[in-house]
Amino acid sequence: GLTVRQLAGQRIIVGWAGPRVPSWLLARVRRGEAGGVIAFSRNIRSRRALAAQMRRLQRARRPLAAPLLTMIDQEGGLVARLPGAPSGSPARMGRRGVAFVRRQGRLTAANLRGAGMSVNLAPVVDLGRPGSYQARTGRAFARRPAAVAALGTAFARGLQEGGAAATLKHFPGLGAVGDDEDALIQTVRLSAATLRRADAAPFAAGIRAGARLVMTSTARYPALD
């Protein structure tokens, strides 16, 4: 019984400009024309204020049974929108081992839930190949597929044990790019066999462990298409 606009809207995550949810976004949510919202630093005056804005959206009457997704990037280190958990970058956490990373996932979930967020756009499960952007910035847990799989899965499990959905990113892997894909289009010149054997392995592990979402990369992959 959904309209075309509602069907399309459920596949769109919406951002906004300032610390207060604008009337147009609230109206769109009420019409059932948004699958969720994403908060960036520009939207956060304080944890308490963000939580109040998320409650405002969640209480809006919607013609859908599905919950409105409230998303934020809270990887730790370079990419952290909220103060608090996790305690460091993925690389720093990874050096402490799987048990530590899982605890950080649970603490991060509590941090997000306290701000009204239901989805963490983390963990990064790209390989930290030497010289890559992910390795230089500490966004990768480790270099080798097995280590990234174990650590990324631990963080995802911790998040979901704490009540926040985990997102594995950036599929099929950004462990071989030199710059930030958000700033400059990147090309991953790995073979399809390498992508499937090495780069996709942490994603497969995370999916088997129950991670709820996967974020795709925006890089080019000539070996795949």
Side-chain angles (χ1 to χ4, degrees):
L2 299 183
T3 68
V4 172
R5 290 182 67 88
Q6 288 169 335
L7 289 168
Q10 289 309 294
R11 287 149 179 81
I12 296 173
I13 304 301
V14 186
W16 70 102
R20 289 186 60 83
V21 170
S23 59
W24 64 261
L25 177 52
L26 188 60
R28 184 168 179 169
V29 168
R30 285 175 173 155
R31 293 194 303 266
E33 295 175 1
V37 297
I38 179 170
F40 292 95
S41 299
R42 64 177 181 259
N43 308 122
I44 303 170
R45 183 179 296 158
S46 69
R47 187 190 315 276
R48 183 176 178 181
L50 179 62
Q53 295 301 303
M54 294 304 101
R55 285 195 299 271
R56 185 181 178 207
L57 287 170
Q58 294 287 10
R59 289 170 180 168
R61 282 183 167 273
R62 304 170 68 229
L64 304 165
L68 183 74
L69 301 177
T70 54
M71 300 183 170
I72 198 165
D73 291 270
Q74 190 73 6
E75 302 170 12
L78 179 68
V79 182
R81 313 300 185 201
L82 292 166
S87 65
S89 68
R92 182 178 174 185
M93 288 190 286
R95 290 192 286 270
R96 301 284 297 273
V98 167
F100 178 83
V101 169
R102 191 165 180 170
R103 285 196 301 274
Q104 288 297 308
R106 289 194 294 267
L107 291 170
T108 302
N111 188 14
L112 267 59
R113 286 172 61 84
M117 312 310 294
S118 61
V119 177
N120 193 7
L121 298 174
V124 171
V125 290
D126 302 325
L127 306 185
R129 288 187 173 88
S132 68
Y133 177 79
Q134 305 298 56
R136 292 199 315 273
T137 56
R139 293 183 74 193
F141 281 108
R143 173 181 176 180
R144 300 187 182 282
V148 175
L151 294 162
T153 296
F155 193 77
R157 281 179 169 151
L159 282 171
Q160 295 187 176
E161 288 164 356
T167 306
L168 309 173
K169 65 184 188 185
H170 308 79
F171 184 81
L174 273 177
V177 303
D179 293 292
D180 182 3
E181 69 162 356
D182 290 336
L184 185 69
I185 294 172
Q186 301 293 297
T187 300
V188 177
R189 301 192 184 281
L190 300 174
S191 69
T194 297
L195 285 166
R196 293 181 177 126
R197 183 186 70 253
D199 294 71
F203 293 93
I207 290 166
R208 286 193 298 268
R212 303 302 298 273
L213 298 95
V214 173
M215 180 192 291
T216 56
S217 160
T218 58
R220 297 190 181 107
Y221 295 83
L224 301 180
D225 195 352

